[in-house]
Amino acid sequence: MSVLRRAKTWEISESEDEIDAETKFNVTLKRDESRQKARVSTDLKEDQSSEYKCKTLQPTNHKSCETCTCSPRPHGSCPPSPARKRRTTEEVKADRQKAKERREVREKQRAARAQEKEERRREQQKRREAAENIKTLRPENCLKCLTVCIHPALLQQDGSDILLDTLATFGWKFCIEDRQLPHCITWTRYIPKREGEKCSVEEEQVVMVLGPSYFMDMVISVKKNLDSEREKTDVGSFLGPLLECLNGDTKKIVTLLVTNCQPDYRKNACGVYLLEETLQRKMGMDNLDIEEVLVYLQLYKNISLVFLNGWQEVTNHVCAITKALSKRPFKLLTEQAELPFCVDGSWARGVQVEKNGSGMIQVWSRQIQQLNRVSPDVASCVTAAYPSPQLLLQAYQSLGSEEERKGLLAGVSVKSGGKDRRIGPEISARIYRCFTARNPQLVLD
């Protein structure tokens, strides 16, 4: 049998309660003392830092901290800063005037920068437009702006479809329009001006395609005008509208294409044999009268005359004029410069000669370099051996034979590219002929 023992109970006396209360009171007392010590230490640190700031901020020649601007501390040693001095009315006005002047200067600088930026933008725009204009003036681009205008009466002639098919094959623009001149072919150019706007300009070239019978009537009308010494045109002739067009616009260049001419009659460049039999049979005109009519049309009215055999030759002539008109703007642009062959650069400028004579040796060297295949190295060697043209001429005169004069400079050594070589007899002979020949048409090479 297990023996159960009863646990002893602990008895708490009144003395133990008193001990616990004393320990708690001691702990709280120590805690309060530590907090007070910490507070005192922080106050001392703040006072020391404020004194250090006052000493660093005050000038060296002052012993007190009257000029110190630090904020006062509860235990601080710095007195408060004095009150700010009030400004007078004149000082306020002067400050405002200075501020206004500074503002005006800033505004002027800002306006100048804006103006420079705008000028740069305009210059870039001009250069861009100039590049675009040059690009549009090229022949391949000008062909896209040209339009061949054909009179509707020409479509009634046999073989006119050859012209239309050829233009369509090349991809060129053409239109059928009724013009002042009958049986004519003109050209119109579209020039871009602004965004979305185009200006149409009519070219001066005008081509009239006439048959032999129409041309006979025109020649007869011209002969009548020459006989009567005044311009009087028949109603049914093509001369009347042609003269009205030329009188209205003197810059027009008219070319008459006479088609359906037999090869046998085109023995003369003016086509006299073609017209001789017909006109003599119709009006009794001889060869001299016909030549007079042709000279009158070409010299007085600026009308060219071309005899062609069929519409194939007419088509070739129209295509040739179209290509020439496409190349015209670019050629006019390149011919605007007075001296287009001169290129800007230091080598293109002449040598400046001073009053004391310095620079003459460079002029003498440039003069020799004008000869074909004469390099600057060769010219410098010649000028080093003979510093002036007069000395070279005296050396030529001192020699007796022609062969010795031609070979005078052949043995002069030239240093180029680290190698030594001679001028040679060919260049020596050319220099001799250049300075001694009296024939201005002499070929040096």
Side-chain angles (χ1 to χ4, degrees):
M1 295 178 61
S2 63
V3 180
L4 297 176
R5 292 183 180 180
R6 196 170 196 177
K8 296 180 181 180
T9 58
W10 293 88
E11 294 180 356
I12 299 174
S13 64
E14 294 179 356
S15 59
E16 291 179 355
D17 294 337
E18 293 176 357
I19 293 171
D20 293 336
E22 288 179 359
T23 54
K24 289 181 181 179
F25 176 76
N26 294 332
V27 170
T28 55
L29 183 60
K30 291 179 180 180
R31 188 180 300 166
D32 294 339
E33 289 177 356
S34 62
R35 288 179 181 177
Q36 187 176 2
K37 289 180 181 180
R39 189 180 299 110
V40 172
S41 63
T42 53
D43 291 342
L44 290 175
K45 289 181 180 179
E46 289 178 358
D47 294 340
Q48 291 175 1
S49 63
S50 63
E51 290 178 359
Y52 177 75
K53 289 181 180 180
C54 292
K55 290 179 181 180
T56 54
L57 290 175
Q58 69 179 1
T60 56
N61 56 356
H62 289 277
K63 297 181 179 180
S64 62
C65 56
E66 294 178 355
T67 58
C68 180
T69 57
C70 62
S71 60
R73 299 290 182 178
H75 302 283
S77 60
C78 294
S81 60
R84 185 176 180 182
K85 185 179 178 181
R86 293 178 61 86
R87 295 185 300 170
T88 61
T89 308
E90 290 77 7
E91 292 178 352
V92 173
K93 290 182 179 180
D95 293 342
R96 290 180 180 176
Q97 184 65 24
K98 291 180 180 179
K100 184 178 180 182
E101 292 177 357
R102 290 195 297 268
R103 186 165 55 253
E104 290 178 355
V105 170
R106 288 196 298 269
E107 290 178 356
K108 289 181 180 179
Q109 292 177 356
R110 192 182 300 108
R113 289 194 296 268
Q115 185 177 1
E116 292 178 359
K117 185 177 180 181
E118 183 67 19
E119 290 178 357
R120 288 196 299 268
R121 189 189 65 79
R122 290 179 181 176
E123 290 178 0
Q124 292 177 0
Q125 184 67 19
K126 288 181 180 179
R127 289 196 296 267
R128 194 180 300 109
E129 291 178 357
E132 291 294 333
N133 292 336
I134 294 175
K135 186 177 180 180
T136 55
L137 292 179
R138 294 189 177 278
E140 59 273 12
N141 295 326
C142 280
L143 278 174
K144 302 176 182 179
C145 301
L146 284 174
T147 303
V148 183
C149 303
I150 305 173
H151 196 273
L154 294 177
L155 302 180
Q156 300 177 2
Q157 300 182 14
D158 296 336
S160 60
D161 55 341
I162 299 176
L163 176 61
L164 301 180
D165 295 341
T166 304
L167 295 178
T169 302
F170 288 153
W172 297 346
K173 297 179 182 179
F174 65 92
C175 62
I176 312 299
E177 292 183 359
D178 193 1
R179 296 283 179 171
Q180 180 182 359
L181 289 176
H183 296 259
C184 70
I185 299 175
T186 57
W187 286 263
T188 304
R189 185 189 305 275
Y190 291 96
I191 302 176
K193 279 193 171 182
R194 296 179 180 178
E195 297 182 357
E197 297 182 4
K198 288 186 178 181
C199 180
S200 177
V201 178
E202 188 173 353
E203 298 290 343
E204 303 91 39
Q205 295 289 337
V206 178
V207 173
M208 291 186 66
V209 184
L210 302 177
S213 59
Y214 295 113
F215 181 71
M216 301 299 175
D217 296 337
M218 183 179 294
V219 172
I220 293 170
S221 300
V222 173
K223 183 59 179 176
K224 289 181 180 180
N225 293 337
L226 292 176
D227 294 339
S228 61
E229 297 183 356
R230 61 179 182 177
E231 292 186 358
K232 184 190 297 183
T233 59
D234 297 335
V235 178
S237 175
F238 287 99
L239 186 61
L242 180 58
L243 294 180
E244 290 179 2
C245 179
L246 293 177
N247 293 332
D249 190 358
T250 57
K251 295 182 180 180
K252 290 291 184 181
I253 302 174
V254 182
T255 303
L256 296 180
L257 303 181
V258 183
T259 59
N260 298 327
C261 300
Q262 299 298 327
D264 299 337
Y265 297 122
R266 290 188 296 143
K267 297 178 182 179
N268 195 336
C270 297
V272 175
Y273 296 154
L274 172 66
L275 305 175
E276 184 177 0
E277 295 182 0
T278 305
L279 293 178
Q280 284 182 353
R281 183 171 59 252
K282 189 173 182 178
M283 294 295 297
M285 299 173 63
D286 56 1
N287 191 12
L288 184 61
D289 295 335
I290 298 173
E291 291 182 355
E292 183 180 1
V293 170
L294 298 180
V295 170
Y296 172 79
L297 290 175
Q298 187 169 3
L299 296 183
Y300 289 90
K301 299 300 179 182
N302 196 19
I303 299 175
S304 302
L305 184 65
V306 180
F307 290 91
L308 300 176
N309 184 22
W311 270 90
Q312 184 60 47
E313 295 184 3
V314 173
T315 302
N316 297 336
H317 189 84
V318 172
C319 293
I321 294 178
T322 306
K323 291 180 180 179
L325 291 176
S326 65
K327 298 177 182 179
R328 182 181 178 184
F330 192 76
K331 289 184 177 180
L332 292 177
L333 181 64
T334 56
E335 292 175 359
Q336 286 181 358
E338 296 180 358
L339 298 175
F341 53 85
C342 291
V343 183
D344 294 336
S346 59
W347 62 271
R349 296 195 299 267
V351 180
Q352 185 177 0
V353 180
E354 303 294 340
K355 293 183 179 180
N356 56 2
S358 61
M360 292 296 297
I361 191 70
Q362 286 83 4
V363 175
W364 170 225
S365 178
R366 292 288 183 90
Q367 186 177 1
I368 299 175
Q369 292 181 36
Q370 291 179 357
L371 298 175
N372 190 18
R373 295 190 302 277
V374 175
S375 63
D377 297 332
V378 174
S380 62
C381 292
V382 174
T383 55
Y386 301 95
S388 67
Q390 187 66 27
L391 295 177
L392 182 60
L393 292 176
Q394 291 176 2
Y396 284 142
Q397 293 174 2
S398 63
L399 299 177
S401 63
E402 187 77 13
E403 295 296 330
E404 292 179 355
R405 295 172 183 172
K406 290 182 178 179
L408 176 64
L409 302 175
V412 178
S413 61
V414 181
K415 295 182 179 180
S416 61
K419 298 180 180 179
D420 295 341
R421 61 182 181 87
R422 296 187 305 141
I423 291 180
E426 182 182 355
I427 297 179
S428 178
R430 276 195 286 125
I431 295 175
Y432 169 73
R433 287 193 295 268
C434 177
F435 287 99
T436 59
R438 299 182 179 273
N439 182 14
Q441 306 297 331
L442 179 64
V443 179
L444 299 178
D445 291 338

